[in-house]
Amino acid sequence: TEAQHQQHFDDKIAADTSIEAKDWMPDAYRQNLIRQIGQHAHSEVIGMLPEANWLTRAPTLRRKAVLLAKVQDEAGHGLYLYSAAETLGCSRQDIYQKMLAGQMKYSSIFNYPTLNWADIGVIGWLVDGAAIVNQVALCRASYGPYARAMVKICKEESFHQRQGYEAVMAMAQGSAEQRAMLQDAINRFWWPVLMMFGPSDADSPHSAQSMAWKIKRHSNDELRQKFIDNTVPQLEALRMSAPDPDLAWDEATGHYRCGEIDWNELYDVIKGRGQCNHERLQAKHRAWDEGSWVRDGAMAHAAKRAANAA
Ligand code: FAQ
């Protein structure tokens, strides 16, 4: 019966036994995962755009090869995540179209422009750095296919973060102009990166239920704090600063304190009013339209094979 199914599901969650695709699960758990994994997948594929903007202008062949590999990894992450979402019974086409139609979200961070080369280093260092803190926690998410996808993704994100830090280290050791460019990129990305972790716990509608289901293992604010604690010593090592006069070590708590985030900015960007929302969605609409011949060809090929087999 339904009650027995629910009991069995609750027992598995309590025992930290992962939920697998063919297991019974409450419909709200399934829908919540499709929402989160779908948003995560869209973020990976939209996230290719700000960096792709600099592929043709990377300063050296080595930097270009590394950046190309990173952007390609992000396409791969999108594919594993769409596959993980499909195990829950949604169609990839359906959730992708919802993203194109603005009915499904992707991370706010990708609605900011990449104005110069320093931004690319800062994205690797800070954006991938934030993504890892969030994703390491998701390696223990209760839904097996999502948790397992995260393991490989985290390994690749670690490489991305290291390449970003190595790139900013080179700039930090460079000329006064290079150091100024780097500081400017940090100033523009610092607050938006902190917003990647989502609204504060008090204003996060999904958190309580997602924590009870063990999809989320730590709250938005806990992960944001962990990222800040990891990152401030790196800023200091680079002899750079964050654009936050209130950022300070708090002896009593053993954490860095920081200033108040401008939540209106996060909500504006989420609602489609960020600097690049229009441009990002337009790029994805164009790619979808220009790729129609590939989809048509693949469908014709599959039909021909099926006819031959029959
Ligand atoms: N941007 O109740 P909560 C990457 C939405 S990393 C946009 O707290 P939840 C790697 C939220 O969806 C970036 N929307 O929600 C990379 C919800 O809206 P809904 C992607 C946001 O789900 C690096 C509403 O606000 N990572 O791509 C944001 O419990 C470099 C209420 O929020 C992931 O997606 C935001 N910042 O917690 C690629 C990680 N924050 O659905 C390329 C997986 C919140 O009700 C280059 N996701 N919202 O309409 C998660 O861990 C969670 O979904 C959170 C939000 C923590 C993002």
Side-chain angles (χ1 to χ4, degrees), residues 32 35-36 39-41 43-44 46-48 51 70 74 77 103 105-110 123 127-128 130-131 134-135 138 146 157 160 192 195-200 203-207 210 216 220 223 266-267 270:
N32 187 44
R35 178 192 68 80
Q36 178 169 328
Q39 170 188 284
H40 198 162
S43 303
E44 296 284 354
I46 297 258
M48 297 165 78
E51 291 173 296
K70 177 183 192 294
E74 280 146 13
H77 297 174
Q103 293 158 8
K105 299 183 168 81
Y106 58 88
S107 182
S108 52
I109 192 68
F110 303 119
I123 287 182
V127 175
D128 286 274
N134 167 273
Q135 291 173 158
L138 291 171
Y146 190 29
E157 301 284 32
H160 296 174
M195 294 175 201
M196 287 174 69
F197 294 92
S200 71
D203 294 316
S204 163
H206 298 294
S207 278
S210 287
K216 285 169 110 166
N220 295 359
L223 293 175
L266 173 64
Y267 292 122
I270 288 180

Side-chain angles (χ1 to χ4, degrees), residues 132-206:
I132 295 172
V133 168
N134 167 273
Q135 291 173 158
V136 162
L138 291 171
C139 292
R140 293 174 52 240
S142 56
Y143 188 56
Y146 190 29
R148 288 190 292 271
M150 281 300 120
V151 175
K152 183 164 189 272
I153 290 179
C154 283
K155 289 186 178 157
E156 293 177 350
E157 301 284 32
S158 303
F159 155 68
H160 296 174
Q161 197 271 351
R162 285 311 180 101
Q163 72 82 32
Y165 193 70
E166 197 262 346
V168 298
M169 228 160 55
M171 293 195 77
Q173 289 161 4
S175 63
E177 285 86 351
Q178 286 172 315
R179 288 185 56 83
M181 230 168 112
L182 176 58
Q183 184 62 61
D184 170 63
I186 295 168
N187 290 351
R188 282 180 290 108
F189 277 94
W190 180 258
W191 292 108
V193 164
L194 297 186
M195 294 175 201
M196 287 174 69
F197 294 92
S200 71
D201 294 349
D203 294 316
S204 163
H206 298 294

Side-chain angles (χ1 to χ4, degrees), residues 288-306:
W288 178 262
D289 294 342
E290 288 175 358
S292 69
W293 67 274
V294 179
R295 294 189 299 277
D296 293 346
M299 292 306 280
H301 180 67
K304 210 153 101 185
R305 284 186 63 152

